[in-house]
Structures are given as structure tokens and as C-alpha cells.
Amino acid sequence: MTSAEAGALRRLAPPARRFLAHRKGVLVRLALWSLAESGQAFLVGHAVARSVDEGFLAGDPRLGLLWLGVALVAVLSGARVVRGVFAQLAGVTEPLRDGLVRRAVDRSMARAAPGGPGGTDRAAVSRLTNQVEIARDSFAGLVLTLRSFVFTAAGALLGLLSLHPALLVVVLPPLAAGLALFLVTLRPMAAAQRRALAADEALGDHAASARAALRDLAACGTGPGVERRGADLVADAAAAARTLAGWAAVRTAALGVAGHLPVLALLVAVEWLRGHGVSVGALLGAFTYLVQSLLPALHTLMTALGAAGSRLLVVLDRILGPETETETETETEPDRVPEPVSVLKSQPGPSTASASAAAFAVDMAAVPAVELRAVTLSYGVRAEPVLDALDLCVAPGEHLAVVGPSGIGKSTLTRLVAGTLAPSSGEVRVAGRPVTGRPAAELAALRVLVPQDAYVFSGTVGDNLAYLSTDACRAELDAAVGAFGLGPLVERQGGLDGTVRPAELSPGERQLVALVRAYLSPAPLLLLDEATCHLDPASEARAEEALAGRAGTLVVVAHRLSSAVRADRTLVLDGVRARCGTHAELLDRSPLYRDLTGHWNS
């Protein structure tokens, strides 16, 4: 037994004893009904043997029929026994279910209560529904099968012994071998069941988070990352299911050994048994005990313990025990579902950008604001790289423009820097920190990405503008509105407290709202991916000048030549090699830049 399983048993033993101690009356009545089942099993085989030896073979068919009548009465009485057992079973299983539901609710409420650990307990849904039902059904199955096997096996083995001791010599070895093989599978099956439940919870958590963020994921293009995460979780769940199925196959083999070999052994040993004085009736009675009583009870026991037993142990430990490490990781890991790019939230609410910025503050003068080291990215194994061994260093406070033909990789570059896309090779750093795989909350503290199709949510104008800087005062909002020329739009919407209807805004107006939102953000790096393409040249110049005057670094995918001229430096992507320099330097060194300049001027 593993240390985790031993710990689970230690935690579950005291509450299990208390639970059973309060239900002694129900357990006594169950035992009495089970004694009746044991007597039934004994009578069936014994009556068959007597009907043959003392009736039909002795020339007295009436006595033989009488004994068969006794066997028939014993079989028919089984319905009454089963009814009595199920009537008592509800007195044990339903209180268990009610107690588990109360425990699951109390645990979830304690997490959310003041002084608790806090956070969203998404696994509570699985515990209240799927896991509680698994526990109730598994417990009921175990009670039924364990009780049935113990009393039925006792009656059948006692019957075999009463017919002839030699029968036990033939039947017991394969039975013991099958049971031993079955017991070997219990521990790994419990571990596999634990992993399967953890994978199920993680997948459910991911699905719930992704479903709630569908609008944001679609708006900012981070859906592929979430899809890959979901595919990984599905693969984990499938691997856990395959492992569980493998051990189930071993359990099936054990069932075959214990369930079929005794019958074969009895057939093979008929001549030997007859030589030791076993009568024909005793042989038929032995086959009756095996086929009608012992082997069906054994089959049910092994099936229940192999599946229901391991599930019950794992589920009870997750509901009754303290939060496990697996649960904590599933519920609190920040990058379990990648959050959308920070300017594209779907609902207004408190922002963590300011706190995160303080937590991850760096000496901006000491390290580059953006650094790419031999970055290569391909969208397929055999595809030509979009970026090939690109090196780039952007100084803190620098204004960099990125230009190049359509489809050359400009948007890809901004996504790499934003951390929403991972390079095929190389490293991307922002403020000296690698961005690949970094949690969304930390990325939001380092950069803001404004895409070409800006996103505005339904809410007030002030909520939209201050979403990334909830501590922005009214004066700061008014100053930002004036700097970007957004006054007419704000007045038309009824002021900062007026309600924004995104469908009524033009693409350019939505871009201005997103640009002001980014301007107010405390993040030290702004990434504009053609975020001014819907603005007229004058509005674009005003917006870029305001953003360039903001403390921090600005990287702009240029839509017009004026953006490159206003920048401190310009990066030219040409699909062969990248060139970086001032406007004048690139006119002298880059034929592609000269062509682009001529195109823009014309």
C-alpha cells in the first residue's frame, strides 16, 4: 500500500467507525438476512446431492423429487432475502450520501468564508454531484457484495465439506490463486482511479474557465493556447483511463482464474474423486455449489472491490480529507487556463495589474525592455519559418516601429513579445524576464497588447477606460480623454458615467477607447499591432505622440510611414533578414524599406 493510500485509510478510519457505530441496528438486521442467504446457499447444493444419491439412483424418484422441491423452495426464497437486504441497505447508504453532501458544502463555504483560503472552488461541483453519487453507489455495492460473498461462500464451503472433504482439495487452490491475483491489482487500481478523478476535475475546471472566457479568447486570439491546454488535459484523462483499463484487464484475468478453473479442476478430477469415495450426487451437488452460489458471489465481489472499492476510497478521501496537493494545484494554478490579453477583458472588474507591476518591478535602466535571442517560429514542422533566428534588443523608454509586407510576421512578433505565442526556438524576454509560459497575471504587469480589432465591453465609458488602472482618478481620465481627442465620443455617450454600446461605435472609436485604456495602464511596455489602422492620419499622430510621451516602452506595428518616422528606430522584416535602425539609416541600407517608403509616399 502506498503512503497516500495508507494516509487516506488513517484519515477515513475514525469517521467510518463513528458512522457504523450509530447504525448497529441496521447492521444486525443485515446480518440476520445474510444468515438466511447462507442457509439458502447450503440447502440448494445439499438438496441436489441428496435427490440423486438417495432418490433417483436409489430407485426412489419420489424422494428425489422431494429433495428437488426443497432446492426449489430455497431458490425461490432468495427473492424474499434480497428484498429484506435492500430494505435495510437504504438505512446505511442514504445517511452516508447526506453526510457527504453536508461535508462538501461546508468545505466549499469554509473556503469562501472570511479567514478561509479564498479562491474559486470549482471542484466543489464535481464533489457535490459526480463524486457523492460515486461514493453512495460504491458503498452500496460493497455492502451488498461483501455481505453476499461472506455468507454465501460460508454456506457453499460448508456444503462442500458436508458432501466430502476431498471436494475442497480440488476447488480451493484455483479459488485461492484467483483471489491472490485479484488482490495484487487493488493498490495500482486505486492509484489509477485517483489519477483519473484528478484528471477529470482538472478537465472540468479548464472547461468551465474557458467557457466563461470565450468572448475574450476569440477577441484576443488566445484560443489556440487554450485549445492546446485542453488537448493536453484530454490526453492526460485518456492516459489515466487507459491505465485504469489495463489494470481492469488484469482483474478480468484473475476473475477467469477464480471463476472458471474450479469447475475445470472438478471435471478433470472426477475419476480421482470417485476413487476416494465421492458419490455421483455429491459431484452434482459440488457443481451446483460452484455454479449457483460460490462463483457468482466471487465474480460480484471481485468486480465490486476492483472498481467500487478503489473509487470509494479515493472519493471519500477527496470529500472528507483535507485539500490535497493535487486539488490545490488544480484550483489555484494561475496559468491553468491562459487569460486573455490584458486590454481585452470581457467584464469590468478589479485589475491586478498595479499590484503585479509592483511585485515584478525591475530596474528598467539595467535591462532591455524587450529582448529576442535567436527567436525562430514556424507554424508547422515542414513550414518555412515566419521568423528565423531573430535577435532584437529594445531599450527602456524606446519607441520602436515594425514594418514589412503583409504576412511577413509583424503580428506574430507582437504575440511573441506579449507571451501569447511561444517560439519554436530561442528566447523572448520582457524587462529581463522570459515571457513564454509565464502566468497571465504576471504578463499583464509587464505589457499591454492592443490588436487591430480593438475590443470594447458593455459598461460605462469610465469602466472601459480605467479597466487596467482601477485607481485612476477622474482628473487622469479627463486628461487622457483630452490627449487622445476622445472628448466628442465621451460627450455623445453621456460622459464618463454613460453606458457604452459597442455595436454603436465605429472601428476607429473602439481603437481610441482601447488606446486610452492602454495609456492608463501601469504596464511598462505597450504593443500596438496596427492598432491605429482605422484612425485618420491626424488622430493616429495624436495617439502615437501621447503614447510615446507616456513613461515606458512603445512598440508599434506601423500602418503608415509617419509611424516609422516618429519612432526612435524601425525594425524592417523582409523574410530573409531583419534590419533595425533610424529612418535615415534604413533608407540608406534597406531596399525593402525604400520600396515601402515609396509606396507610402505615393
Side-chain angles (χ1 to χ4, degrees):
M1 179 175 293
T2 63
S3 59
E5 292 164 349
L9 286 175
R10 286 194 298 271
R11 287 192 296 270
L12 295 177
R17 286 194 295 267
R18 290 193 298 270
F19 177 80
L20 296 176
H22 287 84
R23 286 156 184 85
K24 292 180 180 178
V26 176
L27 296 178
V28 169
R29 290 191 290 272
L30 268 177
L32 291 176
W33 281 111
S34 300
L35 281 174
E37 188 172 359
S38 182
Q40 175 205 7
F42 176 84
L43 278 177
V44 171
H46 192 79
V48 169
R50 291 292 177 266
S51 70
V52 173
D53 288 339
E54 299 176 6
F56 299 114
L57 290 182
D60 190 350
R62 285 184 299 180
L63 183 58
L65 290 174
L66 181 61
W67 277 113
L68 287 181
V70 172
L72 178 61
V73 170
V75 170
L76 293 177
S77 66
R80 178 71 179 118
V81 172
V82 170
R83 180 180 177 183
V85 167
F86 272 91
Q88 302 304 319
L89 185 64
V92 180
T93 58
E94 294 310 308
L96 174 70
R97 179 187 182 278
D98 295 342
L100 293 179
V101 168
R102 285 194 296 269
R103 168 61 179 169
V105 171
D106 290 345
R107 179 174 175 177
S108 183
M109 294 297 292
R111 182 184 183 91
T120 302
D121 188 12
R122 296 188 181 98
V125 176
S126 177
R127 284 195 289 270
L128 276 173
T129 56
N130 185 39
Q131 294 185 26
V132 166
E133 292 305 315
I134 287 176
R136 182 183 66 170
D137 295 343
S138 300
F139 181 70
L142 284 177
V143 171
L144 284 175
T145 54
L146 282 172
R147 173 207 55 81
S148 177
F149 174 76
V150 170
F151 287 93
T152 301
L157 293 176
L158 183 62
L160 287 172
L161 181 62
S162 68
L163 294 177
H164 200 288
L167 294 170
L168 292 178
V169 175
V170 176
V171 170
L172 282 180
L175 277 175
L179 279 173
L181 181 59
F182 166 73
L183 292 175
V184 169
T185 68
L186 290 180
R187 185 175 69 179
M189 277 202 73
Q193 187 69 54
R194 187 184 300 273
R195 289 193 295 271
L197 280 175
D200 177 63
E201 287 185 359
L203 184 58
D205 188 12
H206 175 83
S209 300
R211 184 170 59 251
L214 282 177
R215 293 173 61 192
D216 287 346
L217 295 174
C220 67
T222 54
V226 176
E227 181 181 358
R228 286 192 296 272
R229 176 60 183 164
D232 291 341
L233 290 174
V234 170
D236 292 343
R242 285 192 295 269
T243 302
L244 197 60
W247 284 110
V250 178
R251 186 194 65 200
T252 302
L255 181 61
V257 172
H260 299 290
L261 281 186
V263 176
L264 295 176
L266 202 58
L267 288 173
V268 172
V270 166
E271 184 176 354
W272 179 84
L273 290 170
R274 292 286 291 154
H276 284 74
V278 179
S279 66
V280 175
L283 285 172
L284 289 177
F287 280 111
T288 303
Y289 280 129
L290 287 177
V291 175
Q292 295 295 326
S293 300
L294 189 59
L295 297 186
L298 180 65
H299 181 282
T300 306
L301 172 73
M302 295 174 69
T303 302
L305 281 181
S310 59
R311 284 201 305 266
L312 181 63
L313 177 63
V314 173
V315 169
L316 287 180
D317 185 37
R318 297 187 76 83
I319 295 176
L320 299 178
E323 290 193 10
T324 61
E325 182 178 353
T326 301
E327 282 181 299
T328 303
E329 291 173 354
T330 300
E331 295 164 10
T332 63
E333 185 174 332
D335 61 346
R336 181 66 68 180
V337 177
E339 294 185 10
V341 179
S342 53
V343 303
L344 301 177
K345 299 282 186 174
S346 62
Q347 297 295 333
S351 170
T352 59
S354 297
S356 300
F360 297 103
V362 294
D363 183 359
M364 300 303 292
V367 296
V370 177
E371 186 177 12
L372 277 68
R373 300 176 180 177
V375 169
T376 297
L377 185 130
S378 300
Y379 286 105
V381 177
R382 300 180 182 276
E384 290 292 328
V386 179
L387 298 175
D388 191 5
L390 176 63
D391 292 313
L392 177 66
C393 185
V394 182
E398 187 175 7
H399 179 183
L400 177 74
V402 181
V403 301
S406 178
I408 202 65
K410 302 185 296 295
S411 295
T412 296
L413 176 62
T414 59
R415 291 180 62 193
L416 285 169
V417 176
T420 61
L421 184 64
S424 304
S425 62
E427 186 178 36
V428 180
R429 289 176 172 266
V430 172
R433 299 178 179 273
V435 296
T436 303
R438 188 168 292 277
E442 297 182 20
L443 289 176
L446 296 175
R447 89 291 180 267
V448 173
L449 170 62
V450 184
Q452 180 176 352
D453 296 319
Y455 187 71
V456 176
F457 55 78
S458 297
T460 68
V461 176
D463 286 339
N464 269 278
L465 298 182
Y467 181 68
L468 299 178
S469 181
T470 54
D471 56 351
C473 64
R474 190 70 172 232
E476 291 174 320
L477 292 177
D478 290 336
V481 167
F484 284 81
L486 203 61
L489 170 63
V490 174
E491 291 179 8
R492 192 174 76 242
Q493 300 299 321
L496 292 175
D497 296 325
T499 300
V500 173
R501 295 177 177 82
E504 297 178 0
L505 301 184
S506 68
E509 289 172 332
R510 288 197 292 270
Q511 282 189 333
L512 282 175
V513 171
L515 290 171
V516 173
R517 184 191 299 156
Y519 174 82
L520 292 170
S521 165
L525 172 64
L526 297 187
L527 303 168
L528 308 186
D529 184 8
E530 295 196 10
T532 59
C533 63
H534 297 299
L535 302 181
D536 60 78
S539 297
E540 179 185 55
R542 173 186 289 180
E544 286 190 6
E545 288 173 1
L547 292 170
R550 171 187 180 274
T553 305
L554 178 63
V555 176
V556 179
V557 174
H559 179 66
R560 297 183 177 91
L561 173 63
S562 54
S563 295
V565 174
R566 283 190 292 267
D568 298 324
R569 287 191 303 158
T570 299
L571 174 68
V572 182
L573 299 178
D574 60 6
V576 179
R577 58 176 301 180
R579 296 182 182 273
C580 192
T582 64
H583 174 66
E585 290 172 343
L586 291 174
L587 285 175
D588 181 55
R589 291 172 12 203
S590 173
L592 175 60
Y593 188 73
R594 288 195 296 271
D595 291 343
L596 290 173
T597 301
H599 171 74
W600 280 326
N601 285 331
S602 64

